[in-house]
C-alpha cells in the first residue's frame, strides 16, 4: 500500500485527487495539508511513502521551501511536485530542492498514477515533455561553465525581495513597495535565506550583486 500525503492550497484539488487515488487498491491518501508548514507537520506524523506537493502556495510555506525542509528532516521521503509551470526553471528548482519528480497539473490521471508509483519505488519521474528539454538545458549550462546554482530555487517574489534587501530597503519599506504585509516579507526573506544557505544581509547583498540584480555586478 502506497501511503500518500496531499499538500495543496486548493481544497477542491485535494478532494479530486483523494477521490481518484483512493479508488486504487494499492494507494491510500492518509492526510492532507493546505500549505508547506502544515505539510511538514503532517508528514512527520503520518510518515507517508509519497508527498504530492503543490509548487505554488501563496499562503504559508511554498512547495520548494517545504520540500527542502522535509528532505532535511526525512531524507528517505519521496516528494512529487505538482505544478502548472511547464518550463526548465521550475524543473531545475524542484529537482534541486530534493523532489523525486515533477508532474503537470494538466497531466492525464494515468500519468499521475504512474508518477506516484515510480517515486514510491525510489525512481525519479519527470513528465515526458520535460525530460528532453531538462537534459538539454543542464548539459548546455555545464558546457558553458554555468551549472545551475541555488538562484534557481528562488521564486519570482523572493527574487524581488532579495533585490530590495540588496538596495538597503527595510522590511516595512519592502512591504510598501510590493503591497504586501511585513510578515509576508519576513516569510519570503526567511525562505530565500534558507534556500541560499545564507544568514546575513551582507551575504545576500553580495549574492544579489553577483547575479546582477542591481543592474551591475561584482
Amino acid at each position: 500500500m502506497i501511503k500518500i500525503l496531499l499538500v495543496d492550497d486548493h481544497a477542491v484539488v485535494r478532494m479530486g485527487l483523494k477521490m481518484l487515488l483512493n479508488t486504487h487498491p494499492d494507494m491510500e491518501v492518509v492526510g492532507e495539508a493546505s500549505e508547506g508548514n502544515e505539510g511538514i507537520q503532517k508528514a512527520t506524523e503520518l510518515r507517508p511513502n509519497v508527498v504530492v506537493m503543490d509548487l505554488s502556495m501563496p499562503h504559508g510555506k511554498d512547495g520548494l521551501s517545504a520540500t527542502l525542509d522535509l528532505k532535511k528532516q526525512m531524507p528517505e521521503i519521496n516528494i512529487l511536485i505538482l505544478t502548472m509551470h511547464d518550463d526548465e526553471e521550475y524543473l531545475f528548482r524542484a529537482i534541486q530542492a530534493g523532489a523525486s519528480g515533477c508532474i503537470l497539473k494538466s497531466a492525464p490521471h494515468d500519468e499521475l498514477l504512474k508518477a506516484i508509483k515510480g517515486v514510491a519505488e525510489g525512481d525519479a519521474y519527470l513528465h515526458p515533455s520535460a525530460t528532453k528539454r531538462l537534459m538539454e538545458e543542464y548539459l548546455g549550462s555545464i558546457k558553458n561553465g554555468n551549472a545551475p546554482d541555488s538562484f534557481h530555487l528562488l521564486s519570482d517574489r523572493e527574487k524581488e525581495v532579495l533585490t530590495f534587501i540588496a538596495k538597503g530597503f527595510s522590511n516595512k519599506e519592502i512591504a510598501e513597495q510590493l503591497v504586501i504585509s511585513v510578515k509576508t516579507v519576513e516569510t519570503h526573506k526567511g525562505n530565500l535565506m534558507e534556500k541560499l544557505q545564507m544568514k546575513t544581509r551582507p551575504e545576500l547583498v553580495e549574492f544579489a550583486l553577483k547575479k546582477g540584480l542591481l543592474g551591475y555586478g561584482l
Side-chain angles (χ1 to χ4, degrees):
M1 178 69 69
I2 301 174
K3 297 189 296 182
I4 303 165
L5 172 66
L6 302 177
V7 184
D8 194 293
D9 60 330
H10 293 98
V12 173
V13 173
R14 297 198 308 271
M15 180 176 65
L17 289 173
K18 184 175 181 179
M19 291 177 62
L20 169 68
L21 299 175
N22 282 343
T23 60
H24 291 263
D26 57 348
M27 295 184 182
E28 179 187 7
V29 175
V30 295
E32 302 176 37
S34 60
E35 54 86 27
N37 284 316
E38 184 184 9
I40 293 170
Q41 179 183 352
K42 290 288 184 68
T44 55
E45 292 174 358
L46 301 172
R47 316 297 290 190
N49 304 113
V50 177
V51 177
V52 177
M53 179 86 72
D54 185 17
L55 179 67
S56 303
M57 293 181 286
H59 304 292
K61 190 181 287 290
D62 64 78
L64 289 177
S65 297
T67 297
L68 280 167
D69 286 350
L70 261 180
K71 293 298 289 186
K72 288 178 182 177
Q73 297 181 34
M74 303 170 63
E76 75 284 358
I77 201 165
N78 301 300
I79 301 173
L80 178 66
I81 293 291
L82 192 62
T83 177
M84 65 179 67
H85 304 289
D86 185 16
D87 61 55
E88 292 87 348
E89 179 184 358
Y90 289 101
L91 292 172
F92 274 129
R93 286 163 57 187
I95 292 171
Q96 288 181 314
S100 301
C102 187
I103 189 168
L104 293 175
K105 285 190 173 183
S106 58
H109 290 167
D110 59 345
E111 186 176 333
L112 174 62
L113 298 173
K114 178 181 178 182
I116 290 174
K117 290 180 180 179
V119 299
E121 294 172 358
D123 296 331
Y125 184 88
L126 290 176
H127 55 92
S129 62
T131 305
K132 184 174 184 291
R133 296 200 317 276
L134 180 64
M135 289 304 299
E136 289 174 346
E137 180 76 11
Y138 182 78
L139 293 174
S141 66
I142 295 296
K143 182 178 180 181
N144 295 326
N146 297 311
D149 61 20
S150 299
F151 186 65
H152 292 274
L153 294 175
L154 302 185
S155 67
D156 291 338
R157 179 63 88 188
E158 287 164 354
K159 291 175 185 176
E160 288 181 312
V161 171
L162 174 59
T163 300
F164 281 116
I165 290 173
K167 289 180 178 179
F169 284 66
S170 67
N171 288 352
K172 182 179 179 181
E173 290 170 333
I174 295 173
E176 292 172 351
Q177 290 291 322
L178 298 179
V179 195
I180 56 179
S181 69
V182 173
K183 184 177 181 180
T184 300
V185 172
E186 293 171 349
T187 297
H188 287 311
K189 182 179 177 181
N191 288 342
L192 71 88
M193 293 183 80
E194 179 181 353
K195 291 176 183 178
L196 297 176
Q197 297 295 296
M198 296 179 182
K199 297 181 179 180
T200 65
R201 180 180 285 264
E203 287 180 302
L204 293 176
V205 173
E206 181 180 356
F207 184 82
L209 284 169
K210 288 180 178 179
K211 289 300 179 182
L213 297 181
L214 304 183
Y216 51 90
L218 292 177

